[in-house]
Amino acid sequence: MSNFNYKDYIQDHLLNINGYKSLTYPKELSDFIKLDGNENPYGPSNKVTDALSNRNDYQLYPNSIDELKQTIADYLNVQPSNIVCGAGADAVINLIFSSLKNNYDDMQLATITPTFGMYKHDAMINNIDIDELEQEINYRPNGYYFDVDAEPQIALIFASPNNPTGQIMEKDSMLKLLDKGHMVIIDEAYIKFSQYQSYVELTKEYSNLIVIQTFSKWAGLAGLRIGYGIMNEELASTLNAIQQPYTITNYAMEAAIISLNDTEYLNDNVKKIIETRNNFINQLVDITNITPIPSEGNFVLCHLNKGANTDFHKFMYDKKILIRIYSDAILAKYARISIGTTDNMQKVLNAIEEWDKK
Ligand SMILES: Cc1ncc(COP(=O)(O)O)c(C=O)c1O
């Protein structure tokens, strides 16, 4: 027997990390209404599924990413050299974090809480200290505000719209941070569902701004894992140079390119989701025991005015409706419900009405 102890080899900060709790759902979903992952209920364009079913190149490594970058660049009116692609926005965020200095005297990272759990997770695995500024969970018409007086410069990451609160980040607040020279990363995973404009255009003016987007939500491609960041050319070049090769499959690349050439279909679905979301929020107004928070995303965070979130989750699960609840104290009285098809949201509402009267 050797005396091998893995702790002698693994970096200390990695030893006690509880992995990110990813979704676990029944393999056979046909009976279920899946509203726990902010996925797109309409799926991708039929042109995507047709094209992918005709591919037969499993044995090949993925082809160059240049065509995809050019297509995204044309779509967003930026240059391909401004783009870094990754296997989901998740991978782009982790790539950025992995490149940040992790000496606390040089660099700090900040965000708000509650927000997307991967920011904290990625900070931890990259040994970066992350400050989470608590935000009240309520609706603010101009979005949430963040200010900081820090020296030295820090990097900040915000989801706008934010998951799970559905709020955007106030533009003035972001401009202030940019003018102070901080590195600001805006995660626009849900921007298509928002009435507010993307900040991609601002990346031309601010070399310290990075905007992240994904095909997971509006294009219905969460399972194919494809996202990207838009940023100044030098930073993009550095990140592209340290990127693992071949993390984006030919399937994901083709699906993304076809999606950008079939935006009419996808935008119609986005419109349907927005309408369904707004109706759902209006219908919840009559429910005593649930208070919805107006949302700019394809989900609604609901305050539970009675019972434990686990009881509500179980009640909905027994009705074959999957929703998201959280173990964090700040979200103990909330549940997040993704927006499904109109028919399915009626079933959700019926279930909630029943729960309300229980
Ligand atoms: C704010 C936010 N950013 C990024 C992601 C992940 O996106 P992707 O599927 O492209 O990795 C999510 C997923 O839920 C999210 O909520």
Side-chain angles (χ1 to χ4, degrees), residues 107-172:
M107 238 297 303
Q108 275 206 334
L109 187 60
T111 188
I112 59 163
T113 187
T115 191
F116 183 42
M118 285 299 287
Y119 305 153
K120 188 171 178 185
H121 175 78
D122 288 339
M124 282 195 307
I125 62 175
N126 289 297
N127 204 13
I128 302 170
D129 198 19
I130 187 163
D131 277 345
E132 300 165 285
L133 195 80
E134 191 166 323
Q135 299 278 309
E136 256 180 70
I137 303 177
N138 55 19
Y139 176 69
R140 270 157 291 177
N142 299 324
Y144 62 89
Y145 194 86
F146 191 101
D147 195 10
V148 72
D149 256 334
E151 286 294 335
Q153 309 267 292
I154 61 173
L156 304 114
I157 182 159
F158 303 108
S160 181
N162 186 35
N163 171 15
T165 61
Q167 308 298 299
I168 56 140
M169 183 184 205
E170 189 179 279
K171 190 170 181 183
D172 283 353

Side-chain angles (χ1 to χ4, degrees), residues 255-270:
I257 292 168
I258 294 174
S259 299
L260 291 180
N261 288 314
D262 196 14
T263 52
E264 203 177 318
Y265 167 82
L266 295 172
N267 288 337
D268 276 353
N269 289 343
V270 165

Side-chain angles (χ1 to χ4, degrees), residues 43-97:
S45 150
N46 286 340
K47 291 180 187 162
V48 167
T49 40
D50 287 351
L52 295 200
S53 64
N54 285 327
R55 286 197 80 104
N56 59 356
D57 56 354
Y58 292 96
Q59 74 282 18
L60 300 184
Y61 283 104
N63 206 342
S64 147
I65 196 143
D66 291 351
E67 185 189 353
L68 174 62
K69 279 193 186 163
Q70 186 63 59
T71 313
I72 297 172
D74 293 344
Y75 180 66
L76 294 176
N77 188 28
V78 297
Q79 297 302 315
S81 52
N82 296 120
I83 297 172
V84 176
C85 294
D90 281 348
V92 181
I93 295 163
N94 189 46
L95 180 68
I96 297 168
F97 282 18

Side-chain angles (χ1 to χ4, degrees), residues 37 88-90 93 116 119 159 163 187 189-190 214 216-217 225-226:
D90 281 348
I93 295 163
F116 183 42
Y119 305 153
N163 171 15
D187 176 352
Y190 301 101
T214 174
S216 291
K217 315 293 180 181
R225 315 303 301 126
I226 183 130

Side-chain angles (χ1 to χ4, degrees), residues 189-347:
Y190 301 101
I191 193 67
K192 295 276 187 188
F193 305 101
S194 167
Q195 61 185 309
Y196 294 89
Q197 276 202 331
S198 158
Y199 291 129
V200 164
E201 201 52 33
L202 266 187
T203 58
K204 295 176 185 166
E205 209 175 310
Y206 288 97
S207 58
N208 48 339
L209 174 62
I210 301 175
V211 175
I212 291 172
Q213 298 188 341
T214 174
F215 289 90
S216 291
K217 315 293 180 181
W218 74 286
L221 297 178
L224 283 178
R225 315 303 301 126
I226 183 130
Y228 54 89
I230 311 296
M231 65 202 77
N232 86 69
E233 210 172 285
E234 288 89 357
L235 178 58
S237 165
T238 299
L239 295 181
N240 278 318
I242 62 169
Q243 170 86 290
Q244 292 289 314
Y246 309 129
T247 55
I248 300 166
T249 64
N250 278 341
Y251 309 89
M253 282 194 269
E254 182 166 21
I257 292 168
I258 294 174
S259 299
L260 291 180
N261 288 314
D262 196 14
T263 52
E264 203 177 318
Y265 167 82
L266 295 172
N267 288 337
D268 276 353
N269 289 343
V270 165
K271 224 168 117 194
K272 271 194 268 182
I273 292 168
I274 293 172
E275 272 166 27
T276 310
R277 175 194 71 201
N278 294 346
N279 288 339
F280 181 59
I281 291 172
N282 288 339
Q283 287 162 324
L284 286 179
V285 167
D286 293 332
I287 307 279
T288 316
N289 287 306
I290 279 197
T291 310
I293 310 214
S295 168
E296 298 283 331
N298 64 341
F299 52 87
V300 178
L301 189 66
C302 296
H303 185 264
L304 306 173
N305 303 328
K306 74 164 184 189
N309 61 1
T310 45
D311 294 340
F312 181 60
H313 183 267
K314 180 168 185 325
F315 178 87
M316 297 298 269
Y317 191 93
D318 290 344
K319 300 269 173 207
K320 303 250 187 261
I321 299 169
L322 305 178
I323 59 165
R324 179 85 149 92
I325 54 167
Y326 302 85
S327 51
D328 323 34
I330 191 173
L331 290 168
K333 295 297 280 178
Y334 291 88
R336 190 194 68 194
I337 304 177
S338 308
I339 300 300
T341 60
T342 322
D343 283 356
N344 281 343
M345 292 318 284
Q346 187 54 53
K347 290 184 189 147

